[in-house]
Amino acid sequence: MAIFWNILAISIILQRALCGPSYTPVLPPSYPLAVRNPYLSAWLPGNEVRNLPFASARFWNGLNPTWSVIGRVDGRPYSLFGVPLPGPGVQAGVLQSAEYTSTRTTFTVTAGAATFVLDFLSPISPLNCVRQSAPFSYLTVSATSINTSEVQIYSDIDNTWAGQFDEYVQVGWGYSITNDSTSAFTLTPGGTTTFSEYNNTAQWGTSVYCARPNNSTLTATVGSRDAVRAQFAANGSLPGQWKWQYPGVTAYAQDLGKVSKAGINVTFAIGYWRQSAVNYLGDPRTAYFTATCSDPICGCVHVLDDFRAADAEARRFDAAIAGKAESVAGANYKDKRDTFAFVKEISSDGNVNTIDVIYPMAPMLYVLAPGYLRLLLEPIMRYLSSGAWPHTYAVHDLGAAYPNAMGHNNGRAEKMPVEDCGSLLTLIYMYQLATGDKIWAAQYHSLLQGYADYLVSNGLYPTKQLSSDDGLGNIRNQTGLAIKAAIGLNAYGVMTGQRNFSDIGKRFASTLYDEKVGLDLHRTHFTCSQGEDRSWGMMYNPYPDVLLNLSTFPKAAYAMQSSYYPTVRMPGGVPLDSLVGFGKTDWMMFAAATVVAPGVDKVGVRDMFIDDVHAFMANGINAVPFSDKFHLRDDGTIVKGTWSQYKARPVVGGHFAIMALDGPNLFGNGKGGDGARWVQVI
Ligand SMILES: *[C@@H]1O[C@H](CO)[C@@H](O)[C@H](O)[C@H]1NC(C)=O
Ligand SMILES: *[C@@H]1O[C@H](CO)[C@@H](O)[C@H](O)[C@H]1NC(C)=O
Ligand SMILES: *[C@@H]1O[C@H](CO)[C@@H](O)[C@H](O)[C@H]1NC(C)=O
Ligand SMILES: *[C@@H]1O[C@H](CO)[C@@H](O)[C@H](O)[C@H]1NC(C)=O
Ligand SMILES: *[C@@H]1O[C@H](CO)[C@@H](O)[C@H](O)[C@H]1NC(C)=O
Ligand SMILES: *[C@@H]1O[C@H](CO)[C@@H](O)[C@H](O)[C@H]1NC(C)=O
Ligand SMILES: *[C@@H]1O[C@H](CO)[C@@H](O)[C@H](O)[C@H]1NC(C)=O
Ligand SMILES: *[C@@H]1O[C@H](CO)[C@@H](O)[C@H](O)[C@H]1NC(C)=O
Ligand SMILES: *[C@@H]1O[C@H](CO)[C@@H](O)[C@H](O)[C@H]1NC(C)=O
Ligand SMILES: *[C@@H]1O[C@H](CO)[C@@H](O)[C@H](O)[C@H]1NC(C)=O
């Protein structure tokens, strides 16, 4: 037996050597490094991780911010991450493993006698608004050595973190040391305008990189990138010079002294500070975190003080998401009615608080922190209540371009009247059911009743118009929209105790299903467009009917549709509709959850959807922050499984759809659930 295990061990070691690094749980399209908000969004493409020492961090849209780590072991320098052009004498470390969870990415790199672990942590804190809104991520570098080695660690960033990309831009740098020995470098773009973007980077605010000596000797320098790195390579310390020279860096070196197997860690915090974060109807709003700290240097002190707790919470969070733990942390959230949340429609069009983006991301909020549904909807409801929006249907979004949430007083928002009325009513009921808070929505009932009335008049046979999938264009009599209207009306009726609205919703459902207005002649599927028998679509709108136990449609309707999906699957999955060759992962997961509605229970069909999304994620041919839209068949030069459009979008919150069936509020005092019904999608 012992021999067997030894052989097994040797073969595993050999495989390691032959096959290179190990990837846990899989090699993803892109690793999150520092991802906290639309401007602090640095990633590492999966296809570059093997060459980590030479690879650059990547802003979600493809720009390359400079962020490097170099280790020095017994006088010999090793590039570990982000050094495309190592100077003379600098060897590259060797990646041994790469791992990610919901909150962190961990790379293990060997360098001579030492092993360095680069641990990139972007905390998630569902119930703690201070921690959740802190615009910082952490990089912890831990060093161990099989010998007792002298180890120094170096890290730098540059002007790209402040959204400035060439030689001629003005960047103001600053360096300060607080009375508790926290060092903070700041980089601030010059001559730019508050609330303006360039190529999706913020052109106002301050990027900040901080460190503490923490029993090591900390040195710092501002200077020309190659010269500063060469100084570290030669000396293991930095000379404390302060002259910005393009291409320049702000750099730290930490001398850890003797490092053995026990190991020593150093933690950096990287942030992007916007004193005014979002422009809400002309009122500059600050981050919740700003109530704790009103400048980036105080922010550094706070987040470094908070590291241990944030790190511990993140580990509990990951365990809970993996179904291994029950709850996370106590709430640290004063329920101020004036707290808002804002979300950017990253990579599609940059809209702010788009209703048809909040709708697909809602399952994640329902599971993790349903209070965020209200925080996202409240600024919309206040705007609609002001009367500035001139139409009788709900607005599509709060502003065409984040961070300017200026509403659309001229009435010219993207027009999706049934989509937005139906989604809004459904989302508000979802919030109410998950939290038990009936007071919040009550203040808006007359406004909401107007949207319900709109659906009564316009929901069953929608005019030619857009749905959330606006890329498909204006389509007449969309069955999916009529389904959404039926469920939205029922949700509104249940929420307000007005049966007449529920009855109308159920009558719509009966017309669509029993009278076949929304079906093909042979009752095999819902059509995409009423009366067009051969059309079909991914039916994601029934999902809230199941999640919220509304029973607008009979189980037989969902059973019918569940049986249909496998018959129209392409090699890579079920497409969005009968005319296209691409799929949407968020809607696939909505459909996957709907097919396991109580009494429908098509577990095999659910697993088909999950396997298709998983195969897309793990196929190794994509290198962007996870895309929710991908090709399902080979087509000319396009290969099945290639991402088609979109990156890093909030709609991937829809991947929580199955998990949400176990109940809301996993981390609060909600029901949670036993995880028996959902399947983890890694
Ligand atoms: C924005 O950045 C992307 C990614 O680097 C680049 O392809 C594109 O040309 C840039 N656009 C502008 C207007 O600079
Ligand atoms: C560890 O130290 C010993 C003795 O100083 C040396 O011979 C050996 O090369 C070192 N190992 C590594 C991997 O550096
Ligand atoms: C050092 O960092 C590693 C990797 O993140 C972690 O496993 C370990 O617990 C840390 N040790 C200390 C003392 O913080
Ligand atoms: C350190 O600075 C902080 C913030 O400026 C201040 O509140 C605190 O009293 C200072 N502590 C000492 C020991 O000076
Ligand atoms: C620094 O080292 C001293 C002595 O080993 C130890 O007592 C102290 O806790 C250390 N401080 C930190 C921040 O690690
Ligand atoms: C290394 O440090 C010494 C002493 O501080 C200094 O004289 C020397 O110039 C440094 N070397 C480099 C390459 O920076
Ligand atoms: C300080 O050192 C401890 C022990 O190695 C480590 O856990 C912690 O992350 C370090 N903190 C900072 C700010 O470097
Ligand atoms: C939608 O269907 C209804 C009922 O079949 C029909 O009267 C109406 O003309 C259709 N609308 C459009 C825009 O085709
Ligand atoms: C539903 O009933 C309420 C009163 O109970 C009434 O105000 C409302 O107009 C009715 N709506 C519809 C669509 O029937
Ligand atoms: C769903 O609603 C039905 C009544 O419509 C009720 O009998 C059932 O218990 C509810 N199920 C859940 C899980 O709440």
Side-chain angles (χ1 to χ4, degrees), residues 169-424:
V169 297
Q170 300 170 348
V171 183
W173 65 266
Y175 181 64
S176 50
I177 304 178
T178 67
N179 61 8
D180 73 342
S181 306
T182 302
S183 286
F185 274 119
T186 54
L187 288 162
T188 306
T192 52
T193 318
T194 307
F195 301 132
S196 66
E197 288 187 345
Y198 173 71
N199 206 357
N200 283 294
T201 61
Q203 297 297 297
W204 83 106
T206 295
S207 95
V208 51
Y209 199 34
C210 6
R212 279 179 179 162
N214 197 23
N215 276 359
S216 75
T217 305
L218 180 70
T219 52
T221 270
V222 177
S224 160
R225 181 192 60 211
D226 296 343
V228 171
R229 290 180 184 171
Q231 275 162 347
F232 173 76
N235 264 357
S237 64
L238 296 171
Q241 289 161 351
W242 316 103
K243 186 172 187 317
W244 182 265
Q245 233 177 324
Y246 188 87
V249 289
T250 56
Y252 291 113
Q254 302 242 30
D255 186 349
L256 305 185
K258 292 208 183 320
V259 169
S260 61
K261 281 191 190 120
I264 299 182
N265 291 5
V266 301
T267 297
F268 302 92
I270 190 161
Y272 196 86
W273 188 270
R274 292 172 286 153
Q275 191 62 37
S276 291
V278 166
N279 179 10
Y280 178 60
L281 306 173
D283 175 20
R285 309 282 305 197
T286 56
Y288 199 99
F289 184 75
T290 309
T292 309
C293 266
S294 61
D295 67 68
I297 294 160
C298 167
C300 280
V301 172
H302 180 91
V303 298
L304 287 174
D305 284 349
D306 193 46
F307 172 69
R308 202 175 280 278
D311 181 73
E313 181 183 7
R315 289 177 201 278
R316 289 195 302 271
F317 179 91
D318 288 338
I321 292 297
K324 292 182 194 134
E326 286 285 300
S327 78
V328 172
N332 177 0
Y333 169 43
K334 290 187 200 71
D335 188 16
K336 287 197 260 170
R337 290 277 156 174
D338 207 33
T339 304
F340 296 161
F342 293 96
V343 64
K344 178 177 179 177
E345 196 180 335
I346 283 182
S347 89
S348 35
D349 60 15
N351 288 178
V352 194
N353 287 30
T354 311
I355 289 179
D356 69 281
V357 165
I358 299 171
Y359 179 80
M361 79 187 280
M364 176 188 75
L365 301 174
Y366 183 84
V367 171
L368 300 184
Y372 274 83
L373 289 165
R374 172 170 67 76
L375 301 185
L376 287 163
L377 295 172
E378 171 73 0
I380 302 175
M381 295 311 295
R382 278 202 210 175
Y383 173 63
L384 292 171
S385 298
S386 76
W389 168 247
H391 300 294
T392 54
Y393 52 84
V395 72
H396 169 263
D397 60 74
L398 265 182
Y402 186 96
N404 292 295
M406 298 302 283
H408 295 277
N409 296 359
N410 64 7
R412 280 194 240 119
E414 191 171 9
K415 191 171 174 185
M416 298 182 187
V418 173
E419 176 78 47
D420 290 323
C421 289
S423 290
L424 186 61

Side-chain angles (χ1 to χ4, degrees), residues 449 453 456 498 500-501 504:
Q449 188 131 329
D453 288 337
V456 170
Q498 299 181 93
N500 52 349
F501 285 97
I504 295 170

Side-chain angles (χ1 to χ4, degrees), residues 490-611:
N490 191 12
Y492 182 70
V494 172
M495 171 167 78
T496 59
Q498 299 181 93
R499 272 189 79 155
N500 52 349
F501 285 97
S502 289
D503 290 345
I504 295 170
K506 288 183 179 172
R507 214 154 61 228
F508 281 16
S510 172
T511 305
L512 291 166
Y513 180 71
D514 299 327
E515 297 167 28
K516 293 203 296 192
V517 165
L519 304 187
D520 66 311
L521 193 62
H522 301 295
R523 304 188 78 89
T524 63
H525 64 276
F526 283 111
T527 54
C528 177
S529 195
Q530 293 164 17
E532 294 187 15
D533 268 25
R534 280 189 298 179
S535 72
W536 47 265
M538 181 66 73
M539 286 295 141
Y540 48 86
N541 282 322
Y543 169 66
D545 202 29
V546 175
L547 179 71
L548 309 176
N549 193 25
L550 285 164
S551 301
T552 314
F553 285 83
K555 287 179 182 53
Y558 301 144
M560 168 201 74
Q561 186 68 15
S562 306
S563 303
Y564 189 67
Y565 287 128
T567 71
V568 290
R569 184 177 169 276
M570 286 181 177
V574 178
L576 182 60
D577 79 8
S578 42
L579 300 177
V580 302
F582 64 81
K584 291 279 283 98
T585 63
D586 48 350
W587 300 146
M588 285 169 157
M589 299 317 288
F590 270 49
T594 310
V595 303
V596 289
V600 178
D601 305 318
K602 291 276 198 314
V603 172
V605 181
R606 176 196 68 186
D607 292 348
M608 172 193 80
F609 282 116
I610 293 171
D611 292 348

